[in-house]
Amino acid sequence: MISWLWAVSPLVTFGLATPVTFLWAAQRARSRHFVIAAVLYTASVVLFFVLPDDVGFVFFIVAWLVGTVHALAFRASVFGTHPPIQETALDAAIEMAEDRRELRRKARKIATDDPALARELGIGRPDAQRNFDDGGLIDVNYVPADVLLRLSGMTVEMAERVVQVREIRGPYVSADELSVFAEVPPGLADRLADYLLFLRE
């Protein structure tokens, strides 16, 4: 019912409400198309009042009848059950990122409470065969250098140094140790901390 009231508002107001109709649609649908339409219909209404009658009548028809047809044609897209594509894609991406974060949280809890179970499940080991999704955790103390390269910002030199230092001095216990002993930039180590796991025997 509301969608039809919106669509016929240009008709019943003789075009005077057409700019507001499309401005509201622009806000609801977050569409540049409707913003442009609102500007054009606003100009039509203004020109109707300021231009001579014969010329102004043309703009009256635009705001009234063209605006009505326009609103009816796009009623479904404004009030449809599906949100705009861009908004849907963003929402889906955010939801996926939040889901992955929750998986990492749960996997990290398992690793903290029961390290042996974590190793059996392959938590933090994307290089191993497993049937468990840990949300992208990487166990710095066991994965090879090529897996460390999956971490955004990690270079070949840094990954190889992390492995070499690990073999010499033993397992790491925190992201800070990557900076201190393997010379991983502190800022990078901090950004990667949510993806790092430090299992020990």
Side-chain angles (χ1 to χ4, degrees), residues 40-59:
L40 293 177
Y41 288 126
T42 299
S44 296
V45 171
V46 172
L47 291 173
F48 164 64
F49 284 107
V50 300
L51 292 177
D53 291 346
D54 54 341
V55 180
F57 183 74
V58 174
F59 292 99

Side-chain angles (χ1 to χ4, degrees), residues 81-96:
T81 55
H82 301 289
I85 294 176
Q86 290 182 344
E87 185 177 347
T88 301
L90 177 61
D91 290 343
I94 292 174
E95 183 177 355
M96 182 179 296

Side-chain angles (χ1 to χ4, degrees), residues 8 25 33 35 55 63 66 83 91 93 110 136 154 167-168 177 184 187-188 196 198 200:
V8 300
H33 165 88
V35 172
V55 180
V66 175
D91 290 343
I110 293 173
M154 183 71 68
E167 293 174 348
I168 294 172
E177 286 198 352
V184 175
L188 176 60
L196 303 181
F198 301 92
R200 305 179 70 183

